[in-house]
Amino acid sequence: MRTRPTAVLLAALMLLAGCSGGGDDGGGDGRVTLRFQSLAWQQESVEATKDLVAEWNAGHPDIRVEYVQGSWDSVHDQLLTSFEGGEAPDVIHDASDDLADFAYGGYLADLTGLLPERLKSDIPPRTWETVTFGDGIYGVPFLQEPRVLIANRTWLEEAGVRIPTPDDPWSWAEFRAVTRRLSGDGRYGVAWPLKDPVSATLNLSLSAGGRLFHRGPDGKVTVRFRAADAVVPRTVHDQVGTDRSASPTTLGSGGSDTLPGFFGGRYAMVPLGFSYRQQIVQQAPEGFDWQVLPAPAGAGGLAQGVSPQTLSIAEDSPHKREAAAFLAFLLRPENMVRLALGDWMLPTGTEALEDPALHTAEHGWATGTALAGRLRSAPAQSVRGYPEWKDKVATPAFQEYYSGAIGLDELRRRLEGDGNLVLARYQR
Amino acid sequence: MRTRTSARVGQYAALLAYLLFLALPLLWLLSTAFKPPRELGSLHPAWIPEDPTLANFRQAFEEQPLLRAALNSLLAAAGAAVVAVLVATPMAYVMARHRTRLARAATGWVVVSQAFPFVLVIIPLFLVLKNLRLIDSLPGLVLVYVVWALPFALWMLAGYVRAVPTELEEAAAVDGAGRLRTLVSVTGPLLAPGIVATALFAFVTAWNEFFFALVLLKTPEKQTLPVILTHFLGAEGVADLGPLAAAAFLATLPSLVVFALIQRRITGGLLTGAVKS
C-alpha cells in the first residue's frame, strides 16, 4: 500500500517530463529551427561555440539554432542510429576520418553547391581532400592539429642539442641521435604514446615520403610497404629496442598517460597532438619549462597526415540552405580563430591562420601555425576497408614490431599480405 | 578456542581486504575529485590531495547541468524499477509455479535474449519508438529500460518464487484463503526481498545506462547523467579529469544511498522467509 502514492507521483512526473517537447521547425510560424550537435568539450571551446550560436540567433530571428552538446565517445553509433531513424541533427560536428561511411551511405548532404565562394576559396584544396568522397564534398574541415614534439626545454638546453625550428627541423636520423644523447640513468629521450600506433605512424610517415596505400588505374587500392614507409617505424623500433632512448612502457599508452612522466623528468620529449598544450598548461608543475618543436622531417619535408574536425549537414535536413548559411557564419575567419583558440588547435582557413593571436611564441602557437601549410589528408582517409585493416592487421602488427616481437620483414608481410586480402574484400 | 579466534580474525582480515579492494576505485575517484590540475599530472600521485580544492566540483556544476541530469536519471531509473517489478512479478510467478514445457522454453528464451548486443537492436527499437512518438521522452526511455531489464528480472524473480514452499500456499488454501488472498498475504511478503533485489537491479542498470539514453534523447534538458558525464571527454580518450572525477563521484552517490536504504529490507525479508518456511 505504501508504494502506491510513490508510483502515482512518479507516473505524473514522467508524464510531465514527456509532455515538454523539444524544439522543432517552429510550429508553423515561419521560423526555422536547426539542431547543431557540437563536439566541443573543453570549457573554452564550449563557451566560444555557444557564444557564436547566441550571436547567430540574435542576428537571425527567423533561423534559430539550437545547441546540442554531443560527445566524441560513441558519436559514430549515435549518428548512425539517428540517420537511420530520420532524426539526425541538421548540423553535425565530427572528424573527417569518420565521414566516409556516412558520405557513401547517403546520410550527408553534398555541400558542393551550398557553400559560399569565400569559404570554399579560403580553405586550401589539400584540406578539402579530407572531406571529398567520390564527386561530393560532405563536410567543411575547420580545425586541425599537427603532431608536434613537446619538449623539456631545460633538459634540451643542458644537453646542448640543436633546437629544431619549422625552417630547420631535425631529420629522423638526427632525432634518433638526439634522443640517444638525452637518455641514460633511467631517463629517456622520448616517450612514444602509441596506444593507436597506426594513425600516428602513417601520418608521420608522410614526412619521409611514405604513403603505404597506392591507388591503381582501376581505382583499387593496395598496400605497399616500401623503404620510405619504413623510416618512421624503424626509428621508433630502434629507439625502443636498440638505443633504449624511448620508454618501452609508454608504447601502449595514450597521450595523457605520458604527461606525469614528462613532468616528472622521466622523458625529455613526448610526441603529442598540438591541442595537448592545454593539458600541459593546466597540469605542468610550477616552473616547468617546456616548448613546442616540429616533428622530424624526411624526404617529404615536414608533411604530415591529419583528419580535421568537420561540420556537415544531414541529407535529411529540410533546411540545408539555412544550415549552410549558419556554417558560413560560424566559419568566418574571425569566428574560426575563436574556435581554434578555444580548442587549442589550428584553423584550416588561410585568412584565420594569419591572425596575430595564432603567431605568438607563447605556448608554441607560432611553431604550430608554421606547420599548417604542411598538413595533408591522412593517408587512409578514403580507403574503404581501412578500419578493418587497421584493427585486425595493422594495429597488432605495429604493436608487435615496436615491442620487438617481430622484425621489419614480418611487419611488411603482414601489412601487405594480410592487409591486401582485407582491402580486396571491400573492392570487389 | 584459540584456533577459532584466529580463524575469525583471519576471516575479518580477508573481509576487510576485500572491502578495501572493492572500495579502491571509489576512493581514487574521491581523491581525484579534490585534486588541483597540477596534482593530477604528478608522477607520484598521492591518495590524499596535498592542496585539496572544490574547484573541480564547481567547474563540473558550472559546465554541465548535473542536477537536472541527475533528476532525469532518477526518474528514468525509478520508473524502470517500478514498472519492471510490476510486470515481472506476476509473470515470474506463473513461470515458476506452472512448469510446463512452454514455461521452460520461455525461460530459456529470456536468458538467450540477454545475449543480443545493443547495436543489433537499437535501430529497430529507435524506429518503433519513433512511430510511437516516444523518441526524446523519458517515458520512451523508461519503456526501453523496462524491456531491457525484464528478462533478467523475470529470471531472478522466478528463482525467488520457486524458493517459496508451495506447502505454505496449500496450507493457506486449506485454511480457506482464496488464490488472491494467498498471493497477497502469504506469498507476497516472502517474495518481498526478491522484489526489492529485482527493483534494485533494474534501478542500477537504468541509472548506469549510457547508450540508449545517448541515442534516444535529443533535447539537452532531458539528457541523463551518464550522457552528461561524457561531455567531459574529448577525442582519443583525452579527459578533463578533475571535473569528470567530481561529477562521476556525485553520480555514484544515489546508487550507494539506494543500496544503503534497501539493504536492510532485503536482509529482513530473507529472515522472515526463513522463519516461515
Side-chain angles (χ1 to χ4, degrees), chain B residues 110-130:
Chain B
V110 158
V111 175
V112 168
S113 70
Q114 288 287 295
F116 293 134
F118 280 18
V119 285
L120 199 70
V121 295
I122 187 67
I123 291 173
L125 189 70
F126 191 92
L127 294 172
V128 169
L129 288 174
K130 191 184 167 194

Side-chain angles (χ1 to χ4, degrees), chain B residues 153-187:
Chain B
L154 205 54
W155 185 63
M156 220 170 138
L157 267 173
Y160 278 100
V161 174
R162 275 194 286 273
V164 176
T166 49
E167 291 80 0
L168 283 175
E169 292 177 6
E170 286 163 5
V174 169
D175 288 346
R179 173 58 68 97
L180 189 64
R181 178 73 192 271
T182 306
L183 286 177
V184 172
S185 304
V186 178
T187 317

Side-chain angles (χ1 to χ4, degrees), chain A residues 7 10 13-14 17-18 20-22 35 41 43 67-74 77-78 81 84-87 256 260-261 263-264 266 276 279 281-286, chain B residues 37-38 41-43 59 63-64 75 78-79 82 119 122-123 126-127 130 136-139 142 210-211 214-215 218-220 222-223 230-235 238-240:
Chain A
L10 196 71
L13 279 171
M14 278 171 41
S20 57
R35 267 195 314 129
W41 69 282
Q43 196 173 11
Y67 177 94
V68 180
Q69 191 171 349
S71 69
W72 288 100
D73 206 32
S74 298
D77 291 337
Q78 187 226 353
T81 312
E84 287 284 347
E87 295 280 340
S256 304
F263 298 143
R266 191 163 284 179
Y276 272 89
Q279 284 201 23
V281 169
Q282 273 189 351
Q283 296 179 10
E286 208 70 51
Chain B
R38 299 208 190 284
S42 169
L43 184 59
Q59 192 184 335
E63 282 183 29
Q64 299 297 338
L75 286 173
V82 169
V119 285
I122 187 67
I123 291 173
F126 191 92
L127 294 172
K130 191 184 167 194
D136 199 27
S137 74
L138 282 180
V142 168
F210 163 69
F211 190 60
L214 173 77
V215 168
K218 293 186 298 178
T219 310
K222 293 177 183 169
Q223 287 179 328
T230 63
H231 294 170
F232 294 105
L233 294 171
V238 184
D240 206 350

Side-chain angles (χ1 to χ4, degrees), chain B residues 21-42:
Chain B
F21 174 72
L22 291 180
L24 275 181
L26 194 64
L27 294 174
W28 189 249
L29 199 63
L30 186 65
S31 163
T32 307
F34 284 100
K35 282 181 181 171
R38 299 208 190 284
E39 286 189 46
L40 293 174
S42 169

Side-chain angles (χ1 to χ4, degrees), chain B residues 53-78:
Chain B
T53 174
L54 288 171
N56 293 325
F57 289 92
R58 208 163 32 239
Q59 192 184 335
F61 275 104
E62 278 171 10
E63 282 183 29
Q64 299 297 338
L66 292 180
L67 285 178
R68 193 179 61 210
L71 179 66
N72 291 338
S73 283
L74 196 64
L75 286 173

